Amino acid sequence: MTKRRCFIYLCVGLLAGLGVFHAQEPGKPKNFGITDGSVPEDPRDAMRGDFPMWPVSKELPNDSFTFARVRYNSYNHWGRHDKWTTDYPDADLNFAYRLQQLTALQVDPKGAIVDIKAEQLRHYPFIYMVEPGDISLTADEARTLREYLLNGGFLMVDDFWGTHEWDTFYTAFKQIFPEREPVELPLTHEIFHIVFDLKVKPQIPSVGAAIAGRRRGITYEWNKPGSEEVHYRGVFDDKGRMMMIICHNTDLGDGWEEEGTDPWYFREFSEKYAYPLGINILFYALTH
């Protein structure tokens, strides 16, 4: 283990000891969202088969990391869609399991779903938003996200493709931060090296797109113009702290969700890129 990794694990342990990570019950965070009952509150109730469980610390049951997924509204010309549920619950459960397995971070096996409400977001320093290509925010939601991020929270945005979906997301982004702009992160940025040393900025396709494009080496969504080049963009506060990472034209969540679907996909995308980069992003967020 490198000195840098030891330092990161120590920092995360100190953060946990200081009570930065909150749960509403010992080891059982409340799933705040799902007011319409569209998905089960416990992700294991939606699983196909069993999923590994593990105990949280008896000494510090409330001081474990909880993976929190953002519930938001999305619309297009076909009507309302629950795109926030994409890859749920497998991606959340698999990522939590791999965090527990591969790092020294104490992880709660049960994740959380949070609405864009201040009293919910404040319990989670790291939140995950998936497929925001048709996102629709109210003015109150934009203000809540802005305050959450400026007060120390971190948002990971993932899995949206092409120019059209970027334009829709960017409109919502400007509601949150009218005077800020996303900045393209170079490969030299620490987020690509903090735990796992990545040699490329990976484009991670969905498992279906990967298998379909395997012979030609295509890893983008061929039916979405502007999806050919992967982008990782950061959004920074006035002191230079990254508050948000925007993963555009890539799909880390599918790399987590579909790790067991195809051995080749696991080796080439889940194991090589989706988990290492996801762990890097999380550890960077919690130590900066």
Side-chain angles (χ1 to χ4, degrees), residues 126-187:
F126 180 98
I127 56 175
Y128 176 75
M129 177 182 287
V130 67
E131 274 217 40
D134 292 317
I135 190 172
S136 176
L137 293 179
T138 66
D140 284 345
E141 288 172 336
R143 183 181 65 253
T144 296
L145 282 172
R146 179 169 59 250
E147 292 174 352
Y148 165 80
L149 294 168
L150 290 173
N151 284 332
F154 188 95
L155 171 62
M156 176 182 174
V157 181
D158 183 34
D159 186 16
F160 65 121
W161 298 77
T163 304
H164 172 74
E165 292 189 2
W166 170 261
D167 290 343
T168 302
F169 171 78
Y170 183 75
T171 298
F173 172 81
K174 296 304 284 187
Q175 288 180 261
I176 303 169
F177 289 123
E179 299 179 355
R180 298 181 190 272
E181 290 292 335
V183 177
E184 187 76 29
L185 300 174
L187 181 57

Side-chain angles (χ1 to χ4, degrees), residues 18-270:
L18 290 171
V20 173
F21 309 133
H22 297 281
Q24 295 305 291
E25 308 172 48
K28 296 181 180 179
K30 180 174 175 57
N31 288 55
F32 290 100
I34 334 178
T35 54
D36 60 4
S38 61
V39 297
E41 288 198 5
D42 187 335
R44 277 157 191 76
D45 292 340
M47 281 296 292
R48 297 174 295 277
D50 297 329
F51 192 85
M53 290 288 291
W54 58 88
V56 296
S57 169
K58 293 182 179 179
E59 292 76 21
L60 296 170
N62 292 325
D63 294 322
S64 56
F65 172 76
T66 301
F67 185 87
R69 171 185 289 254
V70 180
R71 180 178 187 260
Y72 64 89
N73 288 319
S74 53
Y75 300 90
N76 58 27
H77 49 275
W78 289 291
R80 178 177 176 176
H81 296 273
D82 291 329
K83 283 196 167 183
W84 68 271
T85 64
T86 298
D87 302 333
Y88 181 86
D90 304 56
D92 310 45
L93 296 174
N94 288 343
F95 187 56
Y97 174 65
R98 295 304 187 185
L99 279 172
Q100 179 74 14
Q101 179 190 50
L102 299 174
T103 76
L105 188 64
Q106 294 295 309
V107 183
D108 197 297
K110 180 181 177 183
I113 293 173
V114 293
D115 296 309
I116 304 175
K117 296 181 179 179
E119 67 273 17
Q120 299 182 22
L121 294 175
R122 69 183 181 87
H123 296 283
Y124 304 97
F126 180 98
I127 56 175
Y128 176 75
M129 177 182 287
V130 67
E131 274 217 40
D134 292 317
I135 190 172
S136 176
L137 293 179
T138 66
D140 284 345
E141 288 172 336
R143 183 181 65 253
T144 296
L145 282 172
R146 179 169 59 250
E147 292 174 352
Y148 165 80
L149 294 168
L150 290 173
N151 284 332
F154 188 95
L155 171 62
M156 176 182 174
V157 181
D158 183 34
D159 186 16
F160 65 121
W161 298 77
T163 304
H164 172 74
E165 292 189 2
W166 170 261
D167 290 343
T168 302
F169 171 78
Y170 183 75
T171 298
F173 172 81
K174 296 304 284 187
Q175 288 180 261
I176 303 169
F177 289 123
E179 299 179 355
R180 298 181 190 272
E181 290 292 335
V183 177
E184 187 76 29
L185 300 174
L187 181 57
T188 54
H189 193 278
E190 188 181 2
I191 207 164
F192 298 109
H193 310 282
I194 187 168
V195 180
F196 295 95
D197 187 23
L198 299 183
K199 306 301 183 184
V200 298
K201 294 197 289 185
Q203 183 172 65
I204 303 164
S206 67
V207 65
I211 293 172
R214 180 177 179 178
R215 290 187 177 181
R216 293 181 291 167
I218 293 176
T219 55
Y220 56 86
E221 300 279 350
W222 57 270
N223 60 335
K224 294 182 179 179
S227 69
E228 295 83 1
E229 183 179 358
V230 66
H231 295 282
Y232 293 96
R233 299 180 173 104
V235 182
F236 298 84
D237 68 11
D238 293 340
K239 295 182 178 180
R241 179 185 67 88
M242 191 188 300
M243 304 178 287
M244 181 190 306
I245 186 169
I246 305 167
C247 308
H248 179 226
N249 292 340
T250 190
D251 187 354
L252 280 75
D254 222 48
W256 306 336
E257 179 198 16
E258 302 290 352
E259 67 157 57
T261 300
D262 178 85
W264 169 79
Y265 182 77
F266 174 78
R267 290 192 308 271
E268 292 301 314
F269 297 104
S270 300

Side-chain angles (χ1 to χ4, degrees), residues 3-25:
K3 291 181 179 179
R4 179 169 60 181
R5 292 186 189 180
C6 290
F7 173 74
I8 291 167
Y9 296 156
L10 175 60
C11 288
V12 172
L14 290 173
L15 287 171
L18 290 171
V20 173
F21 309 133
H22 297 281
Q24 295 305 291
E25 308 172 48

